[in-house]
């Protein structure tokens, strides 16, 4: 017992330990605050939460579940990337293989169902925030951040939908991306775009409009698959992670989780 | 003004006291110009960089089929038949009837799926939400709000039928009377 406690002491007195854990046991409010403040991850979180504010009946834990699902999706998505190749030739077959020829074929299903679930929990989280009036000042900024996060979640769903490269995927993206044609100024059929002309030639045409940038072509094809893959795996998750950090930090800055009326 | 002219000159000997805080903080003309120049340069290079990056997203070469192509001589097409040979590659049908030849774009005017020509039922039918179109391209069932679009059709110098899917004609806009939208058949 003595050997153990002296070893423990040696460990906790060592420079390595002290460089990681800078503030001893969390036994006073002061230490509690210091621990939170000196950790880049913890400092996003409020030091204290109102007891009533974290009641399940009040928050439904929907924001937390959404974040958890995001982590699950990031992790399972990373694993899927070891097998999936975003090319017209391989994409569909790789998805089939992920289910049939890869150990733990359930990984792809986890990713898919997790994605569906995340869309649902994001909406429920928003619904809760709306119904409890938690969007009101001083939290209106965070509501705005949340709306962008909602859009990012939907875009992640949309881009991920193309990757299996089956008929459903191709036509869903064909139909969905048609909306981009109606972008004001930047879409061929959008308002004001017909006014942009050099002589007789439209500057905004099917080879230069918003839909074209999205698809990398005039119709869904190999460029589209690659673009959506990059957006799905890198661009959108990075943007979402960045905004989530802001979102959580603002919860703390705006006075912690709101309390029941 | 006198103050402005003085600022770059040597200190005036009769004013040995430290200049007040307000005076030292005042932006001189020379400083202001540098700052404006710096900001202009910064804004211009940012704009140039973003434009270049935006341009990066538009590829110079596409692996899409050419928009103009020949489909053969008018005599190769039977009267009253919808020719589906060019649908796979170019996404158009070529139709010939007693009076004219025209080419319809195989893009559903509802949400952009590719309809099929149903020989037995004598109509185009979209598999996505069931829009139906007559051989003329006019819509008659399902959610499609307007007729299929025609693409430009003409005779090439060698007498073959030349189709240009880069130009489309909408019936509801009265564009089907445009001579480029059909080939009169004697
Ligand atoms: S896209 Fe053809 S009916 Fe909807």
């Amino acid at each position: 017992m003595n050997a153990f406690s002296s070893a423990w002491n040696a460990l906790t007195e060592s420079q390595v330990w002290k460089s990681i854990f800078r503030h001893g046991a969390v036994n006073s409010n002061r230490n509690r605050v210091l621990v939170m403040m000196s950790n880049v991850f913890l400092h996003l979180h409020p030091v204290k939460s109102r007891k009533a504010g974290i009641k399940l009946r009040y928050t439904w834990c929907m924001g937390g579940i959404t974040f958890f699902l995001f982590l699950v999706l990031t992790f399972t998505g990373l694993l899927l990337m070891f097998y999936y190749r975003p090319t017209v030739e391989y994409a569909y077959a790789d998805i089939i293989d992920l289910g049939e020829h890869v150990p733990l074929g359930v990984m792809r299903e986890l990713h898919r169902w997790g994605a569906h679930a995340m869309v649902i929990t994001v909406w429920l989280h928003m619904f809760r925030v709306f119904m409890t009036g938690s969007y009101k000042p001083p939290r209106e900024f965070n509501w705005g951040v949340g709306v962008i996060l909602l859009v990012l979640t939907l875009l992640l769903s949309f881009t991920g939908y193309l990757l299996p490269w089956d008929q459903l995927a191709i036509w869903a993206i064909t139909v969905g991306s048609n909306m981009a044609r109606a972008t004001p100024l930047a879409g061929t059929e959008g308002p004001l775009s017909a006014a942009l002309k050099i002589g007789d030639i439209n500057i905004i045409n099917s080879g230069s409009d918003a839909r074209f940038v999205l698809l990398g072509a005039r119709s869904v094809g190999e460029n589209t698959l690659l673009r959506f893959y990059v957006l799905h795996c890198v661009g959108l998750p990075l943007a979402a992670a960045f905004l989530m950090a802001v979102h959580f930090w603002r919860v703390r800055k705006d006075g912690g989780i709101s309390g029941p009326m | 003004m006198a103050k402005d002219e003085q600022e770059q000159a040597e200190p005036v000997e009769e004013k040995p006291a430290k200049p007040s805080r307000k005076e030292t903080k005042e932006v001189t003309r020379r400083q202001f110009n540098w700052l404006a120049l710096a900001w202009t340069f910064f804004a211009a290079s940012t704009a140039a960089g973003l434009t270049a990056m935006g341009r990066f997203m538009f590829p110079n070469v596409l692996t899409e089929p050419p928009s103009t192509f020949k489909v053969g001589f008018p005599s190769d097409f039977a009267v009253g038949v919808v020719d589906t040979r060019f649908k796979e590659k170019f996404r158009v049908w070529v139709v010939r009837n007693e009076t004219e030849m025209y080419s319809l774009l195989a893009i559903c005017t509802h949400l952009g799926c590719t309809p099929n020509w149903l020989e037995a039922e004598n109509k185009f039918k979209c598999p996505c939400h069931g829009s139906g179109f007559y051989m003329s391209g006019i819509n008659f069932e399902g959610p499609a709000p307007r007729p299929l679009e025609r693409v430009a059709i003409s005779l090439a110098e060698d007498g073959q039928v030349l189709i240009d899917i880069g130009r489309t004609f909408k019936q509801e806009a009265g564009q089907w009377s445009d001579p480029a939208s059909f080939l009169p058949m004697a």
Side-chain angles (χ1 to χ4, degrees):
Chain A
M1 205 58 210
N2 221 357
F4 176 79
S5 62
S6 66
W8 175 254
N9 276 344
L11 179 66
T12 54
E13 293 300 317
S14 72
Q15 192 181 356
V16 174
W17 181 276
K18 285 191 150 181
S19 73
I20 302 172
F21 305 104
R22 307 200 74 103
H23 303 288
V26 189
N27 47 15
S28 66
N29 274 347
R30 192 185 120 83
N31 252 6
R32 209 162 273 140
V33 174
L34 283 174
V35 166
M36 300 295 271
M37 291 299 170
S38 59
N39 183 301
V40 69
F41 300 110
L42 289 183
H43 99 284
L44 292 173
H45 196 273
V47 176
K48 285 180 177 180
S49 298
R50 243 178 305 246
K51 212 174 178 182
I54 52 173
K55 276 236 170 79
L56 202 59
R57 259 173 57 201
Y58 182 69
T59 63
W60 302 348
C61 198
M62 275 306 150
I65 293 175
T66 305
F67 181 54
F68 171 72
L69 285 171
F70 179 78
L71 294 180
V72 168
L73 289 167
T74 308
F75 185 67
T76 53
L78 190 84
L79 292 176
L80 296 184
M81 285 172 79
F82 284 115
Y83 286 99
Y84 175 80
R85 290 165 288 181
T87 62
V88 171
E89 197 182 349
Y90 295 124
Y92 179 71
D94 284 353
I95 292 285
I96 301 292
D97 284 0
L98 269 168
E100 292 178 359
H101 302 157
V102 173
L104 281 181
V106 73
M107 210 53 81
R108 193 226 153 192
E109 299 305 322
L110 273 180
H111 194 74
R112 189 163 77 97
W113 287 105
H116 289 315
M118 184 172 162
V119 172
I120 295 170
T121 57
V122 164
W123 282 115
L124 287 178
H125 173 60
M126 259 182 128
F127 180 64
R128 188 284 288 183
V129 167
F130 185 78
M131 294 313 275
T132 56
S134 308
Y135 57 87
K136 290 178 185 166
R139 298 187 173 83
E140 72 274 38
F141 179 87
N142 226 8
W143 173 267
V145 174
V147 170
I148 303 175
L149 280 168
L150 166 76
V151 173
L152 285 176
T153 307
L154 298 180
L155 285 177
L156 277 163
S157 256
F158 185 65
T159 49
Y161 205 69
L162 181 65
L163 304 186
W165 202 245
D166 50 11
Q167 285 294 312
L168 189 63
I170 294 170
W171 289 109
I173 303 308
T174 298
V175 167
S177 64
N178 270 337
M179 272 189 277
R181 284 187 211 266
T183 317
L185 279 175
T188 26
E189 288 159 22
L192 301 177
S193 59
L196 295 178
K197 275 189 177 181
I198 298 180
D200 230 10
I201 300 168
N202 284 329
I203 301 176
I204 305 295
N205 56 48
S206 63
S208 70
D209 71 341
R211 185 170 186 267
F212 184 84
V213 196
L214 201 61
L215 301 187
R218 287 194 179 86
S219 55
V220 176
E222 53 184 5
N223 282 354
T224 317
L225 183 56
L226 191 56
R227 272 176 197 216
F228 274 42
Y229 176 74
V230 172
L231 284 175
H232 185 77
C233 300
V234 186
L236 295 169
L238 272 183
F242 175 77
L243 283 179
M244 268 184 252
V246 175
H247 199 62
F248 302 158
W249 187 75
R250 272 308 278 251
V251 169
R252 181 186 127 203
K253 285 290 158 181
D254 294 337
I257 294 178
S258 66
M261 293 290 159
Chain B
M1 282 190 240
K3 212 201 231 167
D4 274 13
E5 288 157 19
Q6 268 180 20
E7 69 197 12
Q8 297 305 325
E10 292 139 31
V12 187
E13 68 275 33
E14 59 186 293
K15 217 175 120 190
K18 276 192 283 179
S20 77
R21 176 170 282 191
K22 198 181 169 201
E23 273 167 338
T24 50
K25 269 204 165 174
E26 216 168 283
V27 178
T28 67
R29 185 168 296 175
R30 174 169 296 179
Q31 278 169 338
F32 174 73
N33 285 345
W34 278 116
L35 211 62
L37 194 69
W39 276 110
T40 314
F41 184 74
F42 177 72
S45 41
T46 308
L50 288 179
T51 313
M53 227 161 71
R55 181 61 185 83
F56 176 81
M57 296 308 286
F58 292 87
N60 289 332
V61 175
L62 290 179
T63 52
E64 290 174 358
S67 66
T68 5
F69 52 94
K70 291 175 181 171
V71 294
F73 298 95
S75 51
D76 298 342
F77 295 85
V79 172
V81 170
V82 172
D83 196 316
T84 57
R85 283 178 294 155
F86 309 100
K87 187 179 137 183
E88 172 97 30
K89 186 163 178 202
F90 297 104
R91 226 179 159 185
V92 294
W93 295 287
V94 182
V95 189
R96 179 179 174 171
N97 59 28
E98 278 84 28
T99 56
E100 59 182 14
M101 258 183 93
Y102 52 86
S103 177
L104 291 170
L105 201 57
I107 297 179
C108 181
T109 52
H110 177 224
L111 287 173
C113 290
T114 311
N116 296 308
W117 170 247
L118 303 185
E119 186 73 59
E121 291 166 55
N122 210 29
K123 69 179 181 187
F124 298 104
K125 186 77 176 166
C126 183
C128 287
H129 319 93
S131 291
F133 308 84
Y134 296 124
M135 193 192 276
S136 61
I138 306 288
N139 54 313
F140 68 93
E141 64 176 351
R146 57 194 181 85
L148 295 170
E149 289 178 18
R150 283 188 186 180
V151 297
I153 189 167
S154 59
L155 277 186
E157 276 155 25
D158 60 358
Q160 290 203 56
V161 176
L162 185 70
I163 287 180
D164 176 5
I165 49 177
R167 275 183 81 191
T168 58
F169 302 90
K170 296 175 179 169
Q171 190 268 349
E172 73 278 13
Q175 292 164 345
W176 282 11
S177 51
D178 189 315
S181 73
F182 62 94
L183 267 185
M185 293 287 114

